[in-house]
């Protein structure tokens, strides 16, 4: 039993108190910039404004995979956006992404700069531009896009649902954690069953679907996300674990996971990336040593 009175929603919701929990200081019910701040622009064709969260990792993995495959035109500058400090509400960032979420990309490779926001849209844009990691023939193309958009539609239940109530909410709510733990485990099972049939998520080829799904679901079964591996019994998903390890062994994936990262082992944090040599010379452990 609890002494807390049951909550009855008012007829009209109003924002009259902080939401509490992690990220409360940046949550608000309106869009648009909160301050004037131009975005920096580097020397490369692609300007990425991001943070090394799972959503940010999708794009840095893609860019590093393109470079690994020999697409030199995919060189990029990766600028750090500190969402805890509200950088995503600066006027320059809002011009690139009116939704104020990372990652956001400016493609400056042509005569007219192109803004691209939403991680799935960025992956498709890059894949089509370079003719890589997205099949052009059916049914492989449809399968890849289906799994890409499966990730985009499903992961909010994992992150904003399970992750929020399990790790970030100001109080542990049994109903909410049970609701989203059940859905997260169902999604893990969807992937585990699929990966029992195929080497990669969309089939026999490595695609942008793998790049989109791995930071979230690979991170879950590797125990990186929300420290919830034991709680969700991730050891049960043998096929998903095989795939997660297989992708983690790729050099481009390892590099992509380092870019714009601000937590964990300093040797794996490359807070900004402006040259391929930065992985060897500008990780946080080396900067601290200087």
């Amino acid at each position: 039993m609890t002494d807390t009175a049951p909550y009855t929603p008012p007829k009209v919701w109003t924002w009259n108190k902080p939401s509490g929990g992690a990220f409360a200081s940046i949550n608000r019910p309106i869009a648009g910039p909160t301050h004037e701040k131009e975005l920096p622009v580097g020397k490369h064709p692609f300007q990425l404004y991001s943070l090394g969260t799972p959503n940010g990792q999708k794009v840095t993995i893609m860019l590093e995979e393109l470079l690994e495959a020999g697409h030199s035109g995919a060189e990029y500058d990766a600028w750090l956006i500190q969402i805890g400090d509200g950088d995503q509400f600066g006027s320059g960032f809002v011009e690139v992404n009116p939704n104020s979420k990372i990652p956001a990309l400016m493609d400056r490779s042509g005569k007219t700069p192109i803004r691209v926001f939403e991680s799935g849209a960025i992956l498709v844009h890059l894949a089509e531009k370079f003719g890589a990691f997205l099949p052009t023939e059916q049914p492989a193309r449809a399968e890849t896009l289906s799994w890409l958009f499966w990730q985009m539609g499903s992961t909010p239940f994992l992150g904003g649902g399970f992750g929020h109530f399990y790790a970030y909410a100001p109080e542990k709510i049994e109903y909410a954690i049970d609701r989203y733990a059940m859905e997260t485990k169902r999604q893990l099972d969807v992937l585990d069953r699929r990966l029992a049939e195929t080497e990669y998520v969309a089939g026999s080829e490595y695609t942008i679907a793998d790049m989109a799904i791995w930071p979230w679901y690979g991170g879950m079964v590797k125990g990186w996300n929300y420290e919830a591996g034991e709680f969700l019994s991730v050891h049960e998903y043998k096929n998903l674990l095989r795939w997660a390890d297989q992708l983690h062994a790729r050099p481009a994936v390892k590099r992509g996971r380092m870019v714009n990262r601000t937590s964990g082992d300093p040797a794996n944090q490359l807070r900004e990336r402006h040259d391929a040599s930065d992985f060897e010379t500008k990780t946080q452990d080396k900067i601290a040593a200087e």
Side-chain angles (χ1 to χ4, degrees):
M1 297 294 290
T2 177
D3 294 331
T4 303
Y7 172 67
T8 301
K11 290 184 177 181
V12 178
W13 182 84
T14 56
W15 184 31
N16 56 14
K17 61 182 178 181
S19 59
F23 310 112
S25 63
I26 61 172
N27 290 336
R28 59 195 184 117
I30 55 174
T34 60
H35 58 282
E36 293 294 320
K37 184 177 182 180
E38 292 186 6
L39 290 176
V41 178
K43 63 182 179 180
H44 293 307
F46 295 97
Q47 300 296 304
L48 179 68
Y49 305 96
S50 192
L51 181 66
T53 66
N55 280 335
Q57 290 172 36
K58 299 176 197 176
V59 178
T60 49
I61 288 171
M62 174 61 163
L63 288 164
E64 290 297 328
E65 289 284 10
L66 287 168
L67 293 170
E68 185 84 6
H71 296 282
S72 59
E75 269 294 351
Y76 69 104
D77 292 278
W79 303 94
L80 181 64
I81 298 297
Q82 291 278 27
I83 61 175
D85 296 338
D87 289 350
Q88 69 276 31
F89 300 120
S91 56
F93 190 90
V94 174
E95 287 180 7
V96 181
N97 184 355
N99 195 39
S100 292
K101 302 290 183 182
I102 61 94
L105 180 74
M106 284 299 297
D107 177 352
R108 295 180 174 273
S109 62
K111 292 181 179 180
T112 302
I114 301 170
R115 75 175 188 184
V116 194
F117 58 93
E118 290 296 326
S119 57
I122 296 172
L123 293 179
V124 172
H125 177 79
L126 293 171
E128 291 183 336
K129 188 175 189 71
F130 291 98
F133 304 115
L134 175 59
T136 57
E137 301 295 327
Q138 300 291 7
R141 181 179 177 85
E143 189 74 16
T144 301
L145 292 174
S146 292
W147 283 107
L148 172 64
F149 287 102
W150 174 86
Q151 183 275 310
M152 298 294 291
S154 296
T155 301
F157 291 97
L158 184 160
F162 173 75
H164 176 76
F165 286 106
Y166 182 78
Y168 300 137
E171 60 181 299
K172 304 300 183 187
I173 303 172
E174 182 179 6
Y175 171 79
I177 292 174
D178 284 351
R179 165 71 176 87
Y180 289 111
M182 182 182 297
E183 174 59 15
T184 297
K185 286 185 68 67
R186 188 193 70 79
Q187 293 176 12
L188 293 171
D189 194 42
V190 168
L191 287 172
D192 194 64
R193 290 169 184 262
R194 173 60 177 169
L195 290 164
E197 304 169 342
T198 58
E199 182 176 5
Y200 299 105
V201 173
S204 61
E205 295 184 14
Y206 176 58
T207 69
I208 56 174
D210 298 286
M211 299 176 202
I213 292 168
W214 183 83
W216 283 105
Y217 297 89
M220 286 298 296
V221 296
K222 294 291 288 181
W224 299 329
N225 298 348
Y226 312 120
E227 298 182 349
E230 181 179 6
F231 181 75
L232 295 174
S233 300
V234 297
H235 65 278
E236 298 173 349
Y237 306 105
K238 304 297 185 184
N239 305 301
L240 184 49
L241 279 162
R242 181 270 306 164
W243 168 85
D245 287 338
Q246 185 177 350
L247 266 62
H248 187 226
R250 297 178 68 93
V253 171
K254 289 182 181 292
R255 293 196 302 271
R257 191 168 181 265
M258 293 170 63
V259 179
N260 296 145
R261 192 168 187 83
T262 61
S263 62
D265 184 351
N268 292 325
Q269 296 181 37
L270 181 61
R271 297 196 173 183
E272 290 194 351
R273 187 267 193 212
H274 302 291
D275 188 84
S277 64
D278 291 349
F279 291 100
E280 302 299 326
T281 62
K282 294 187 178 179
T283 52
Q284 282 303 109
D285 60 324
K286 294 180 176 65
I287 290 174
E290 292 176 356

